[in-house]
Amino acid sequence: MYGWIWRHLPGNAWVKALVSLVLVLAIVYVLFQYVFPWAEPLLPFNDVTVDRGMGAVR
Amino acid sequence: MTVRSGAAARSGARGRPGAGGRPGGVARLVVRTVSEVCVTAGTLIVLFVVYVLFWTGVRADSAMDGEIGKLQDQWSTGPVAAGTPGATGGQPSGPGKQPPYENGKSFAVMYIPRFGADWSKPVLEGTAVDVLKKGLGHYGRTARLGETGNFAVAGHRRTYGDPFKDFPRLRPGDAVVLTDGTTWFTYRIDRRPYRTLPTDIGVIDPVPRESGYSGPGRYLTLTTCEPEWGHSHRLIAWAHLDSTQPVERGRPSALTG
């Protein structure tokens, strides 16, 4: 998988390393900005109220 | 028969590397891809833990500081709303006299010396998930600050800045101090935190069930999750309004002493 990506990146080894670094940073950014905020409420840490059922009705 | 099959097996065994190394190459590719997927999944999980434990706290701290800053700007510049109940010394105000708090907006700052001298969090209207990311949430159906009834507030115990991390350390007599810009309200905790089920909405009633209060009064209820990282139960703390004083007279003794 990673070997395949590395082979398909353009340029020499230095350019490839730079492009992969940018790719990694972009993926981490997307994860922290969009994916994790979506996934986090599915975990139980947000349940701090006693009227979640009532709140849904209101 | 046996000789023949043995020879076939031998020739098959010999045939494998002879076929250009492809079967071995496929196995290697599969093993490598599977391990790469595993490493990727592990990295994702570590990143998610970093997000939950660290990054939500960083974001929440800056959001809470922003809310407190906004409130202080508002209080120092804008015209101060006159006549909060309790400021006049205890005449119960009629229901509906004050407009309800605006949903999602901060309207008060809470101080709990037990959680640390510099512990202060904004209180926002509503208990939606998005609201609780920016501070503590006031249950919309419950009383206003200082009013007769129950001023109920929910907060995260873990993640998003861990505002109620030390919740079990609350003891009878501990002060919970709030200000809405015109008045300081000092509530006093009346009993150790009470553990209950998430469906037990009686704990935020005007006279909270199981609290030991027998008649109407000016109460405060704090709720958070129990156990620390779970959601099977809730932890509740009750307090009664002990004293009020206008902001012009400075901070209440619960904060200064």
Side-chain angles (χ1 to χ4, degrees):
Chain A
M1 184 169 70
Y2 291 119
W4 183 88
I5 294 172
W6 183 261
R7 279 197 301 279
H8 284 75
L9 288 176
N12 61 24
W14 287 107
V15 176
K16 286 180 185 216
L18 196 69
V19 172
S20 358
L21 188 68
V22 170
L23 275 178
V24 166
L25 289 178
I27 290 169
V28 169
Y29 174 81
V30 168
L31 285 175
F32 271 59
Q33 198 66 28
Y34 302 104
V35 180
F36 291 160
W38 163 82
E40 198 268 346
L42 307 177
L43 290 169
F45 316 131
N46 281 301
D47 301 341
V48 294
T49 59
V50 288
D51 67 342
R52 188 53 79 210
M54 302 282 287
V57 172
R58 284 176 68 231
Chain B
M1 281 291 261
T2 52
V3 174
R4 243 226 227 128
S5 73
R10 247 180 285 130
S11 80
R14 246 185 284 122
R16 228 170 254 171
R22 267 203 297 142
V26 168
R28 184 175 300 194
L29 184 68
V30 167
V31 168
R32 186 166 63 203
T33 305
V34 166
S35 42
E36 280 176 352
V37 168
C38 288
V39 167
T40 308
T43 311
L44 269 182
I45 290 169
V46 168
L47 279 176
F48 187 60
V49 169
V50 169
Y51 172 81
V52 168
L53 295 192
F54 174 71
W55 192 243
T56 60
V58 172
R59 297 285 292 268
D61 283 344
S62 83
M64 289 181 195
D65 286 349
E67 291 293 334
I68 291 181
K70 241 194 295 181
L71 278 177
Q72 279 164 351
D73 285 353
Q74 206 177 309
W75 292 341
S76 60
T77 59
V80 173
T84 41
T88 50
Q91 287 307 308
S93 58
K97 191 181 158 198
Q98 294 278 334
Y101 297 120
E102 204 176 329
N103 205 22
K105 293 279 170 61
S106 52
F107 60 88
V109 181
M110 183 184 285
Y111 302 80
I112 302 183
R114 172 69 73 183
F115 294 168
D118 55 352
W119 190 97
S120 66
K121 302 287 172 198
V123 184
L124 291 83
E125 177 68 2
T127 50
V129 170
D130 282 347
V131 174
L132 290 169
K133 287 180 181 177
K134 292 185 275 186
L136 309 173
H138 171 239
Y139 288 84
R141 296 171 296 114
T142 62
R144 289 170 57 94
L145 189 52
E147 266 183 2
T148 304
N150 192 354
F151 179 79
V153 173
H156 281 289
R157 182 146 169 212
R158 279 298 188 176
T159 73
Y160 293 101
D162 305 341
F164 280 164
K165 179 173 56 127
D166 296 325
F167 202 92
R169 290 178 56 214
L170 287 172
R171 290 294 175 269
D174 281 0
V176 178
V177 181
L178 290 112
T179 179
D180 61 357
T182 57
T183 312
W184 287 100
F185 300 88
T186 305
Y187 289 86
R188 294 278 173 190
I189 300 281
D190 282 306
R191 51 171 287 180
R192 284 174 172 236
Y194 169 75
R195 189 166 175 267
T196 188
L197 291 170
T199 51
D200 186 11
I201 61 168
V203 297
I204 59 168
D205 279 349
V207 179
R209 201 158 57 212
E210 303 293 333
S211 62
Y213 301 131
S214 52
R218 294 152 192 255
Y219 303 124
L220 168 129
T221 304
L222 306 176
T223 73
T224 193
C225 63
E226 163 81 8
E228 206 165 353
W229 292 100
H231 65 152
S232 62
H233 289 76
R234 299 289 182 272
L235 214 53
I236 315 294
W238 288 295
H240 68 275
L241 187 60
D242 187 53
S243 62
T244 63
Q245 70 180 61
V247 285
E248 299 85 55
R249 285 182 38 211
R251 294 186 150 217
S253 57
L255 292 184
T256 53

